[in-house]
Short mmCIF file of all heavy atoms in Angstrom, two decimals:
data_model
loop_
_atom_site.label_atom_id
_atom_site.label_comp_id
_atom_site.label_asym_id
_atom_site.label_seq_id
_atom_site.Cartn_x
_atom_site.Cartn_y
_atom_site.Cartn_z
N TYR X 16 -4.41 -98.74 -15.13
CA TYR X 16 -3.91 -98.28 -13.79
C TYR X 16 -4.93 -98.23 -12.74
O TYR X 16 -4.70 -97.73 -11.69
CB TYR X 16 -3.22 -96.96 -13.94
CG TYR X 16 -2.06 -96.97 -14.93
CD1 TYR X 16 -1.96 -96.05 -15.89
CD2 TYR X 16 -1.04 -97.96 -14.83
CE1 TYR X 16 -0.95 -96.02 -16.84
CE2 TYR X 16 -0.01 -97.96 -15.76
CZ TYR X 16 0.03 -96.95 -16.71
OH TYR X 16 1.07 -96.96 -17.70
N HIS X 17 -6.14 -98.66 -13.03
CA HIS X 17 -7.23 -98.57 -12.12
C HIS X 17 -7.80 -99.93 -11.81
O HIS X 17 -8.66 -100.45 -12.47
CB HIS X 17 -8.30 -97.62 -12.68
CG HIS X 17 -7.70 -96.30 -12.96
ND1 HIS X 17 -7.67 -95.26 -12.12
CD2 HIS X 17 -7.18 -95.80 -14.10
CE1 HIS X 17 -7.12 -94.25 -12.66
NE2 HIS X 17 -6.78 -94.53 -13.87
N LYS X 18 -7.27 -100.58 -10.80
CA LYS X 18 -7.70 -101.93 -10.45
C LYS X 18 -9.03 -101.90 -9.77
O LYS X 18 -9.39 -101.02 -9.01
CB LYS X 18 -6.70 -102.62 -9.53
CG LYS X 18 -5.28 -102.67 -10.21
CD LYS X 18 -4.29 -103.32 -9.24
CE LYS X 18 -2.89 -103.44 -9.89
NZ LYS X 18 -1.94 -103.97 -8.98
N ALA X 19 -9.81 -102.94 -10.05
CA ALA X 19 -11.18 -102.98 -9.42
C ALA X 19 -11.11 -103.02 -7.96
O ALA X 19 -10.25 -103.69 -7.34
CB ALA X 19 -11.89 -104.25 -9.94
N GLY X 20 -11.99 -102.28 -7.31
CA GLY X 20 -12.07 -102.31 -5.86
C GLY X 20 -11.15 -101.41 -5.10
O GLY X 20 -11.14 -101.46 -3.88
N ASP X 21 -10.38 -100.55 -5.79
CA ASP X 21 -9.44 -99.70 -5.03
C ASP X 21 -10.00 -98.30 -4.78
O ASP X 21 -9.35 -97.37 -4.37
CB ASP X 21 -8.08 -99.61 -5.75
CG ASP X 21 -8.09 -98.73 -7.01
OD1 ASP X 21 -9.22 -98.42 -7.47
OD2 ASP X 21 -7.02 -98.51 -7.57
N GLY X 22 -11.32 -98.13 -5.08
CA GLY X 22 -11.92 -96.88 -4.84
C GLY X 22 -11.80 -95.86 -6.04
O GLY X 22 -12.24 -94.73 -5.84
N ARG X 23 -11.25 -96.27 -7.10
CA ARG X 23 -11.08 -95.36 -8.20
C ARG X 23 -12.29 -95.33 -9.11
O ARG X 23 -13.10 -96.31 -9.11
CB ARG X 23 -9.85 -95.71 -9.01
CG ARG X 23 -8.53 -95.71 -8.24
CD ARG X 23 -8.25 -94.34 -7.62
NE ARG X 23 -6.91 -94.26 -7.10
CZ ARG X 23 -5.87 -93.84 -7.84
NH1 ARG X 23 -6.03 -93.51 -9.06
NH2 ARG X 23 -4.69 -93.84 -7.25
N ALA X 24 -12.44 -94.27 -9.90
CA ALA X 24 -13.52 -94.21 -10.89
C ALA X 24 -13.22 -94.99 -12.14
O ALA X 24 -12.05 -94.97 -12.57
CB ALA X 24 -13.82 -92.76 -11.22
N PRO X 25 -14.17 -95.74 -12.71
CA PRO X 25 -13.90 -96.43 -13.94
C PRO X 25 -13.57 -95.47 -15.08
O PRO X 25 -13.86 -94.25 -15.01
CB PRO X 25 -15.28 -97.12 -14.24
CG PRO X 25 -16.00 -97.14 -12.98
CD PRO X 25 -15.52 -95.93 -12.17
N ALA X 26 -12.94 -95.93 -16.09
CA ALA X 26 -12.43 -95.16 -17.23
C ALA X 26 -13.58 -94.37 -17.83
O ALA X 26 -13.47 -93.19 -18.10
CB ALA X 26 -11.74 -95.98 -18.27
N GLU X 27 -14.73 -94.99 -18.08
CA GLU X 27 -15.84 -94.32 -18.73
C GLU X 27 -16.39 -93.19 -17.90
O GLU X 27 -16.81 -92.14 -18.39
CB GLU X 27 -16.94 -95.29 -19.05
CG GLU X 27 -16.63 -96.28 -20.16
CD GLU X 27 -16.48 -95.56 -21.51
OE1 GLU X 27 -16.89 -94.44 -21.65
OE2 GLU X 27 -15.88 -96.17 -22.43
N VAL X 28 -16.33 -93.31 -16.56
CA VAL X 28 -16.88 -92.22 -15.68
C VAL X 28 -15.81 -91.11 -15.64
O VAL X 28 -16.19 -89.94 -15.64
CB VAL X 28 -17.08 -92.78 -14.24
CG1 VAL X 28 -17.51 -91.65 -13.31
CG2 VAL X 28 -18.17 -93.84 -14.28
N ARG X 29 -14.57 -91.46 -15.62
CA ARG X 29 -13.50 -90.38 -15.72
C ARG X 29 -13.61 -89.56 -17.05
O ARG X 29 -13.42 -88.39 -17.05
CB ARG X 29 -12.11 -90.94 -15.52
CG ARG X 29 -11.84 -91.52 -14.08
CD ARG X 29 -10.42 -91.96 -13.91
NE ARG X 29 -10.12 -93.21 -14.68
CZ ARG X 29 -9.40 -93.26 -15.74
NH1 ARG X 29 -8.89 -92.15 -16.29
NH2 ARG X 29 -9.19 -94.38 -16.35
N TYR X 30 -13.88 -90.33 -18.10
CA TYR X 30 -14.05 -89.66 -19.39
C TYR X 30 -15.23 -88.72 -19.33
O TYR X 30 -15.18 -87.58 -19.78
CB TYR X 30 -14.29 -90.71 -20.49
CG TYR X 30 -14.67 -90.19 -21.84
CD1 TYR X 30 -13.76 -89.56 -22.74
CD2 TYR X 30 -16.01 -90.21 -22.25
CE1 TYR X 30 -14.14 -89.02 -23.89
CE2 TYR X 30 -16.41 -89.69 -23.51
CZ TYR X 30 -15.46 -89.09 -24.26
OH TYR X 30 -15.85 -88.54 -25.47
N LEU X 31 -16.37 -89.20 -18.75
CA LEU X 31 -17.56 -88.41 -18.67
C LEU X 31 -17.34 -87.15 -17.81
O LEU X 31 -17.75 -86.00 -18.18
CB LEU X 31 -18.72 -89.20 -18.11
CG LEU X 31 -20.04 -88.49 -17.92
CD1 LEU X 31 -20.58 -87.95 -19.22
CD2 LEU X 31 -21.12 -89.45 -17.26
N MET X 32 -16.64 -87.30 -16.71
CA MET X 32 -16.29 -86.18 -15.86
C MET X 32 -15.48 -85.13 -16.59
O MET X 32 -15.70 -83.89 -16.49
CB MET X 32 -15.57 -86.59 -14.58
CG MET X 32 -16.44 -87.30 -13.56
SD MET X 32 -15.66 -87.49 -11.94
CE MET X 32 -14.43 -88.76 -12.31
N THR X 33 -14.59 -85.62 -17.43
CA THR X 33 -13.68 -84.72 -18.19
C THR X 33 -14.47 -83.98 -19.26
O THR X 33 -14.25 -82.76 -19.47
CB THR X 33 -12.50 -85.47 -18.80
OG1 THR X 33 -11.83 -86.27 -17.80
CG2 THR X 33 -11.45 -84.54 -19.44
N VAL X 34 -15.37 -84.70 -19.88
CA VAL X 34 -16.24 -84.02 -20.91
C VAL X 34 -17.08 -82.95 -20.22
O VAL X 34 -17.20 -81.81 -20.76
CB VAL X 34 -17.15 -85.07 -21.61
CG1 VAL X 34 -18.25 -84.35 -22.44
CG2 VAL X 34 -16.30 -86.00 -22.48
N VAL X 35 -17.66 -83.24 -19.11
CA VAL X 35 -18.53 -82.28 -18.42
C VAL X 35 -17.70 -81.07 -17.99
O VAL X 35 -18.12 -79.91 -18.10
CB VAL X 35 -19.24 -82.95 -17.20
CG1 VAL X 35 -19.84 -81.88 -16.28
CG2 VAL X 35 -20.30 -83.94 -17.66
N ALA X 36 -16.49 -81.33 -17.45
CA ALA X 36 -15.67 -80.23 -16.90
C ALA X 36 -15.18 -79.27 -17.94
O ALA X 36 -15.00 -78.10 -17.73
CB ALA X 36 -14.47 -80.87 -16.17
N THR X 37 -14.97 -79.80 -19.18
CA THR X 37 -14.41 -78.94 -20.26
C THR X 37 -15.42 -78.38 -21.22
O THR X 37 -15.08 -77.58 -22.11
CB THR X 37 -13.40 -79.78 -21.07
OG1 THR X 37 -14.03 -80.92 -21.62
CG2 THR X 37 -12.22 -80.28 -20.21
N ALA X 38 -16.72 -78.68 -21.03
CA ALA X 38 -17.71 -78.42 -22.09
C ALA X 38 -17.88 -76.90 -22.31
O ALA X 38 -18.22 -76.46 -23.43
CB ALA X 38 -19.04 -79.02 -21.65
N SER X 39 -17.65 -76.08 -21.28
CA SER X 39 -17.93 -74.64 -21.39
C SER X 39 -16.82 -73.86 -22.09
O SER X 39 -17.01 -72.74 -22.44
CB SER X 39 -18.17 -74.00 -20.01
OG SER X 39 -17.05 -74.09 -19.21
N ASN X 40 -15.68 -74.50 -22.35
CA ASN X 40 -14.57 -73.80 -22.97
C ASN X 40 -14.43 -74.27 -24.46
O ASN X 40 -14.14 -75.46 -24.69
CB ASN X 40 -13.25 -74.09 -22.26
CG ASN X 40 -12.12 -73.18 -22.71
OD1 ASN X 40 -11.98 -72.85 -23.90
ND2 ASN X 40 -11.30 -72.74 -21.77
N PRO X 41 -14.62 -73.39 -25.44
CA PRO X 41 -14.59 -73.82 -26.80
C PRO X 41 -13.21 -74.25 -27.30
O PRO X 41 -13.07 -74.90 -28.31
CB PRO X 41 -15.10 -72.55 -27.60
CG PRO X 41 -14.82 -71.42 -26.66
CD PRO X 41 -15.01 -71.97 -25.24
N ARG X 42 -12.19 -73.87 -26.53
CA ARG X 42 -10.80 -74.35 -26.91
C ARG X 42 -10.45 -75.69 -26.29
O ARG X 42 -9.38 -76.25 -26.62
CB ARG X 42 -9.77 -73.31 -26.44
CG ARG X 42 -9.72 -72.07 -27.42
CD ARG X 42 -8.36 -71.43 -27.30
NE ARG X 42 -8.10 -70.75 -26.06
CZ ARG X 42 -6.98 -70.06 -25.81
NH1 ARG X 42 -6.03 -70.03 -26.71
NH2 ARG X 42 -6.81 -69.52 -24.68
N PHE X 43 -11.29 -76.30 -25.48
CA PHE X 43 -11.06 -77.53 -24.82
C PHE X 43 -11.91 -78.62 -25.53
O PHE X 43 -13.08 -78.39 -25.85
CB PHE X 43 -11.41 -77.53 -23.36
CG PHE X 43 -10.52 -76.70 -22.56
CD1 PHE X 43 -10.83 -76.43 -21.18
CD2 PHE X 43 -9.31 -76.16 -23.04
CE1 PHE X 43 -10.02 -75.67 -20.38
CE2 PHE X 43 -8.52 -75.36 -22.20
CZ PHE X 43 -8.91 -75.13 -20.89
N ARG X 44 -11.32 -79.85 -25.73
CA ARG X 44 -12.11 -81.00 -26.08
C ARG X 44 -11.46 -82.21 -25.47
O ARG X 44 -10.32 -82.17 -24.96
CB ARG X 44 -12.20 -81.14 -27.64
CG ARG X 44 -10.98 -81.51 -28.34
CD ARG X 44 -11.28 -81.66 -29.91
NE ARG X 44 -10.16 -82.00 -30.67
CZ ARG X 44 -9.79 -83.25 -30.97
NH1 ARG X 44 -10.44 -84.31 -30.50
NH2 ARG X 44 -8.73 -83.47 -31.75
N VAL X 45 -12.17 -83.34 -25.52
CA VAL X 45 -11.73 -84.56 -24.88
C VAL X 45 -11.61 -85.68 -25.94
O VAL X 45 -12.52 -85.77 -26.79
CB VAL X 45 -12.68 -84.97 -23.76
CG1 VAL X 45 -12.16 -86.19 -22.98
CG2 VAL X 45 -12.99 -83.83 -22.81
#
């Protein structure tokens, strides 16, 4: 759902952001 050039973040960067955002909660994982 993320076409090149539309200003969206690539899948790997969205994954990385999600990992960083959830890292402090032991009940969260990605």
Side-chain angles (χ1 to χ4, degrees):
Y16 301 127
H17 303 271
K18 299 178 181 178
D21 71 353
R23 301 303 190 90
E27 289 294 341
V28 177
R29 291 186 290 106
Y30 172 78
L31 179 58
M32 287 193 289
T33 308
V34 169
V35 168
T37 57
S39 64
N40 191 323
R42 283 206 289 182
F43 291 171
R44 72 178 178 91
V45 186

